[in-house]
Every structure is written in structure tokens, then in C-alpha cells.
């Protein structure tokens, strides 16, 4: 085992048990047609590494997409010593050791050529995908699918589709988005009624093709108010004519589409994953994927009307700001349909996870928590990221539950299995099983 083990003997014993279980990953950005990395550049290109290295002084031009993959990898390797204190670097080292037989303690300019050679699986195709899947003991990995994705060419019981709806809510006023919607649904969108028909046909298609969730990433200024019918009709008509919209009309369309999605989640019995907080392109000069930040002023209070209006819809919620954890705990404490979901993006750091994990397990019913998801772009990242969470979970269970409350090891492991396996399996079951 290549991961860092807990120092505490009790936590280590728990971790070793938990690490033997399969992984059920309810949110990723995996491409089901090419799920594992074919070369090391596809690993090093994960935005964590490029943005951290850029922040530490590497020019963005050194990882420009126009460069060949080997050159990008070598350029980045010269800067990895600046970020080897980070947890992201530890994931990289675990990937190298677990999947590529790397034996060194540093990935840098001196070792990159050998590691790049070891990680070359350009000729292995699906055999390499299967190898990474089996080594990681994956059970199911949820995808992030655009609304016009044909959802063909893979086993949807293992690579599970998820209807991602950011473009529908935030970009429906753009002609290209409307064209994609009409082309993918064969519905001529002319008014509010036909717009709902088109979106409803997406749900039907996705559910028929194995989807088990609808998801959206929302900016901090979004407030999901229920749209008014007359104002929505006027705004949609103006958008369909490609007219310039006033800010209130943009807001009306966003609210209309979002509320429609929630209604259809209720009809189709799909969870509605809400990922709240990112502001896009805050740092335009950054590397690809490293330009977005969060705004601490976001509040779940803005979603109270939504949660109350749709008690039959489960809302797995992720918040981007690390200091939003207490509010998510409070909403999950009170509202039966709000579920704390994983540890996302800037909150995906051990110090933040440990605090949130502890608060959730001490305050929120154990049957309504989803412990972790990978948010990975390649399969290789799922195991080290889950192992990070598993280690923190084992340390909490040993300290708080076994020594603190006198629980048996079996009882502590039952709690771990709930948040890592049983809860996500149940919450994201097929709609006909819900």
C-alpha cells in the first residue's frame, strides 16, 4: 500500500479495513471513453498541479496546450519541488508508486524521464482502464455529462451518467445553447411551454440511459427564486429572438430553468446535486482550470425556499468556501432533504476535511451523509484522494468513537461503511429502485 498510513495503531487498523472496501464515487469528471491516463501529461495536467506551479512562479506558457505532452511534463517537473509540501503532490506520488512502480521519493527533473516512460500507456487502451479500475477497487464512478451527450459507448452501470445543467441555467440566453437544446431534443423551443417540454425530454433520455442524478454548479450571486409566469414568458421570447436582455430578464430565465429542473427531479425521483460558490475567471491570466475562486458571502439561506418547496427531492450539497461548513451542517441538521456531500475543490484539503468531517459526524444523522467524492478527471486520482479521506475518517473514528465513546471497532466500521458506501448507494439508486 502506497498511501501514508495513520500513526495511531487503532486508526491504522481501521484504515486498513476501510481501504479494503470498494469505492463508490458519486461525482467525477471522468471521460468514459478514455477514463485512465494514457500518459503522464494527462496526470500532471490536472489543474491542481498547473495552478500551484504557476502560483509558485512557473510561467503559464510552460504548460501551454500547444506544447507536446512530454515537453509540458518536463517543464512542470522542474517546478514540482516548490509544491512538494502540498497534499496534491502526495496524490501524485501515490499515483506514481501504485500504478507505475515508481520507487523514488521525489518527482522532479531528475526522475521525470523514467516516470514518463513508465506511465506511457498510449498503446494499452481499455486494458489499462481495466487495470486502474481493478487496482483501485472501483464499484461505480459517476460522470459529468453535458445535456446533449449521447451517452453511448460504455457500461452505464459502472460509469454512471449524471445530467449536468450549468449551461441550461446560466447560458440559455446564448444562441448556441438554444441550438444545442433543440438539436438534442427535437423540440422547437418557442415559448415557456415548449422550453419545459425540451428539458423534460432530456430527463427522460438521461434516465433511460442510466442517469441517477442531476447536477449543477452555481455562482454565489445565484438565488433560486420561483420565477413568475408572465415575466418568464416575456424574457424567454426576447431570448429566443436573440435580443439583448436586461439583468432582471437574465435572472428570470435562470430562475425559470432552475425551478423547472427541480420540478423534473421531483417527477423523475432524481437527486439534485448543488455545488455552490465558484466565481469563474477571477484570474484571467491563470492557467487553464486555475482561474476560478469563491466568494465567502454565499449563503444557503438563499436556497431555503427551494428546499422547502421540494421536500421530496434530495439535495446533496457541496459548498466551495471552507468556512461554509457550519451552515451546511445546520441545514442538514434541520432539513430532511439536504445532504452534506463530499469535500469540494478548495475545501478538499485535509485540515478542512478533518474539521468538516468531525462536525458532520457529531451533528448530522449518520444515514444522510455522503462522505466523499473524487471530482477526478482521470481514474488514477480516485484512489489517492479517497485514501486521504479514509485516513482522516479512520483517525476520527479511533479518537472520537472508540476511545472517546467506548464504541467497538465493528460499530465504528459500520459508521464508516454508511457514509462511504451504503448512503451513496441508496441516495443515488436507480429511480425505479428509489
Amino acid at each position: 500500500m502506497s498511501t501514508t498510513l495513520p500513526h495511531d495503531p487503532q486508526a491504522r487498523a481501521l484504515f486498513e479495513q476501510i481501504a479494503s472496501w470498494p469505492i463508490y464515487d458519486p461525482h467525477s469528471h471522468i471521460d468514459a471513453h478514455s477514463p485512465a491516463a494514457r500518459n503522464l501529461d494527462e496526470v500532471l495536467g490536472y489543474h491542481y498541479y498547473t495552478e500551484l506551479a504557476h502560483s509558485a512562479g512557473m510561467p503559464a506558457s510552460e504548460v501551454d496546450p500547444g506544447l507536446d505532452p512530454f515537453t509540458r511534463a518536463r517543464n512542470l517537473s522542474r517546478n514540482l519541488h516548490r509544491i512538494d509540501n502540498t497534499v496534491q503532490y502526495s496524490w501524485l506520488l501515490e499515483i506514481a508508486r501504485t500504478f507505475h512502480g515508481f520507487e523514488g521519493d521525489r518527482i522532479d527533473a531528475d526522475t521525470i524521464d523514467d516516470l514518463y516512460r513508465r506511465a506511457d500507456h498510449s498503446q494499452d487502451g481499455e486494458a489499462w482502464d481495466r487495470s486502474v479500475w481493478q487496482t483501485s477497487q472501483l464499484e461505480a464512478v459517476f460522470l459529468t455529462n453535458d445535456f446533449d451527450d449521447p451517452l453511448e459507448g460504455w457500461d452505464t452501470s459502472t460509469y454512471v451518467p449524471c445530467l449536468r445543467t450549468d449551461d441550461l441555467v446560466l447560458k440559455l440566453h446564448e444562441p448556441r445553447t438554444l441550438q444545442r437544446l433543440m438539436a438534442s431534443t427535437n423540440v422547437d423551443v418557442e415559448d415557456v411551454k415548449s422550453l419545459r417540454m425540451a428539458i423534460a425530454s432530456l430527463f427522460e433520455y438521461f434516465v433511460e440511459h442510466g442517469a441517477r442524478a442531476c447536477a449543477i454548479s452555481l455562482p454565489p450571486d445565484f438565488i433560486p427564486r420561483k420565477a413568475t409566469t408572465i415575466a418568464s414568458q416575456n424574457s424567454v421570447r426576447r431570448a429566443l429572438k436573440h435580443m439583448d436582455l436586461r439583468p432582471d430578464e437574465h435572472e428570470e430565465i435562470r430562475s425559470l430553468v432552475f425551478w423547472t429542473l427541480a420540478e423534473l427531479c421531483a417527477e423523475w425521483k432524481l437527486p439534485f446535486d448543488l455545488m455552490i460558490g465558484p466565481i469563474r475567471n477571477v484570474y484571467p491570466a491563470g492557467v487553464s482550470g486555475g482561474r476560478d475562486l469563491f466568494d465567502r458571502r454565499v449563503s444557503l439561506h438563499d436556497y431555503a425556499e427551494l428546499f422547502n418547496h421540494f421536500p421530496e427531492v434530495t439535495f446533496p450539497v457541496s459548498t466551495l468556501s471552507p468556512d461554509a461548513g457550519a451552515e451546511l451542517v445546520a441545514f442538514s441538521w434541520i432539513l430532511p432533504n439536504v445532504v452534506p456531500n463530499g469535500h469540494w475543490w478548495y475545501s478538499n484539503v485535509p485540515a478542512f476535511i478533518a474539521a468538516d468531517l468531525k462536525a458532520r459526524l457529531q451533528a448530522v444523522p449518520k444515514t444522510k451523509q455522503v462522505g466523499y467524492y473524487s471530482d477526478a478527471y482521470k481514474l488514477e486520482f480516485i484512489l489517492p484522494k479517497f485514501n486521504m479521506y479514509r485516513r482522516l475518517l479512520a483517525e476520527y473514528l479511533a479518537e472520537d468513537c472508540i476511545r472517546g465513546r467506548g464504541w467497538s471497532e465493528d460499530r465504528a466500521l459500520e459508521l464508516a461503511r454508511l457514509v462511504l458506501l451504503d448512503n451513496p448507494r441508496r441516495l443515488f439508486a436507480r429511480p425505479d429502485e428509489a
Side-chain angles (χ1 to χ4, degrees):
M1 184 177 294
S2 299
T3 190
T4 302
L5 296 172
H7 295 297
D8 175 64
Q10 183 72 72
R12 179 175 294 196
L14 291 169
F15 174 83
E16 289 175 346
Q17 284 293 316
I18 294 169
S20 70
W21 300 343
I23 290 175
Y24 191 99
D25 186 356
H27 174 67
S28 83
H29 297 272
I30 299 295
D31 177 359
H33 296 291
S34 182
R38 298 296 186 253
N39 58 57
L40 189 63
D41 178 64
E42 294 186 8
V43 172
L44 290 174
Y46 196 14
H47 65 82
Y48 281 112
Y49 303 113
T50 56
E51 66 196 17
L52 284 168
H54 178 51
S55 173
M58 181 194 73
S61 60
E62 293 201 0
V63 289
D64 187 275
L67 298 174
D68 69 272
F70 182 58
T71 298
R72 280 196 301 269
R74 293 198 76 178
N75 288 346
L76 189 58
S77 73
R78 293 197 299 269
N79 295 273
L80 289 177
H81 68 281
R82 300 172 177 172
I83 68 169
D84 64 6
N85 58 296
T86 66
V87 69
Q88 293 89 347
Y89 182 89
S90 73
W91 305 338
L92 179 61
L93 200 57
E94 185 169 346
I95 288 171
R97 291 170 172 169
T98 301
F99 299 107
H100 306 307
F102 182 73
E103 296 179 350
D105 61 354
R106 290 180 182 271
I107 300 172
D108 55 24
D110 293 331
T111 59
I112 193 67
D113 289 11
D114 175 63
L115 180 56
Y116 197 94
R117 177 186 57 79
R118 291 171 177 269
D120 182 7
H121 295 281
S122 56
Q123 303 303 313
D124 297 337
E126 293 182 3
W128 178 243
D129 300 333
R130 289 193 295 272
S131 175
V132 176
W133 184 280
Q134 292 165 1
T135 298
S136 305
Q137 296 182 264
L138 302 179
E139 175 182 323
V141 175
F142 281 53
L143 311 178
T144 298
N145 302 97
D146 289 335
F147 67 82
D148 52 353
D149 190 327
L151 306 180
E152 297 174 350
W154 71 84
D155 180 357
T156 59
S157 67
T158 52
Y159 293 105
V160 182
C162 174
L163 173 57
R164 188 66 179 256
T165 55
D166 304 33
D167 286 354
L168 289 174
V169 172
L170 304 177
K171 298 182 179 180
L172 190 68
H173 62 285
E174 297 179 3
R176 175 62 182 148
T177 305
L178 282 168
Q179 292 166 3
R180 290 169 54 205
L181 177 61
M182 291 189 285
S184 62
T185 61
N186 293 318
V187 175
D188 291 328
V189 179
E190 300 174 340
D191 51 24
V192 170
K193 182 178 179 181
S194 57
L195 175 60
R196 192 186 195 284
M197 289 174 56
I199 298 174
S201 71
L202 294 177
F203 273 76
E204 181 177 7
Y205 184 85
F206 266 73
V207 171
E208 287 178 350
H209 286 75
R212 302 190 204 173
C214 175
I216 189 168
S217 173
L218 293 163
D221 64 346
F222 180 78
I223 300 177
R225 298 188 181 94
K226 185 174 182 181
T228 58
T229 304
I230 294 176
S232 297
Q233 288 173 344
N234 292 336
S235 299
V236 169
R237 287 194 191 101
R238 285 172 57 80
L240 292 173
K241 294 178 181 178
H242 311 314
M243 300 175 68
D244 290 335
L245 301 180
R246 302 188 307 270
D248 62 302
E249 291 173 325
H250 277 292
E251 190 62 36
E252 195 68 30
I253 292 175
R254 297 200 312 179
S255 297
L256 169 70
V257 176
F258 182 84
W259 210 261
T260 300
L261 294 172
E263 291 172 349
L264 291 167
C265 282
E267 290 182 21
W268 288 95
K269 299 181 180 179
L270 288 182
F272 196 0
D273 291 7
L274 304 181
M275 294 171 281
I276 302 169
I279 308 175
R280 305 297 179 180
N281 210 34
V282 174
Y283 177 43
V287 296
S288 177
R291 301 168 184 168
D292 308 331
L293 289 166
F294 59 83
D295 188 330
R296 294 178 60 251
R297 292 171 294 178
V298 67
S299 174
L300 292 181
H301 175 73
D302 295 333
Y303 291 78
E305 180 184 9
L306 173 77
F307 297 149
N308 281 293
H309 192 87
F310 294 101
E312 71 276 42
V313 175
T314 298
F315 293 96
V317 176
S318 304
T319 51
L320 189 54
S321 171
D323 62 1
E327 187 181 36
L328 179 54
V329 164
F331 270 75
S332 304
W333 178 335
I334 298 297
L335 281 78
N337 59 338
V338 177
V339 172
N341 188 26
H343 303 272
W344 184 37
W345 204 343
Y346 290 110
S347 297
N348 192 34
V349 175
F352 298 143
I353 294 174
D356 285 343
L357 181 157
K358 187 173 184 178
R360 293 176 188 184
L361 291 177
Q362 289 181 349
V364 178
K366 63 183 181 181
T367 53
K368 55 173 302 191
Q369 302 189 42
V370 176
Y372 195 71
Y373 56 74
S374 74
D375 205 29
Y377 285 76
K378 289 296 177 181
L379 289 182
E380 287 88 342
F381 280 98
I382 296 177
L383 181 61
K385 295 177 86 172
F386 263 82
N387 277 343
M388 173 186 66
Y389 178 83
R390 289 160 155 175
R391 185 176 65 253
L392 295 166
L393 177 60
E395 289 170 348
Y396 168 79
L397 293 172
E399 178 65 28
D400 197 90
C401 296
I402 294 179
R403 290 193 290 271
R405 306 189 200 184
W407 286 17
S408 67
E409 183 175 296
D410 286 345
R411 185 175 177 184
L413 289 170
E414 287 175 6
L415 178 56
R417 184 174 286 275
L418 266 178
V419 300
L420 281 171
L421 287 170
D422 295 346
N423 288 345
R425 284 170 177 164
R426 174 176 48 82
L427 291 169
F428 296 103
R430 293 200 313 267
D432 59 349
E433 296 176 339

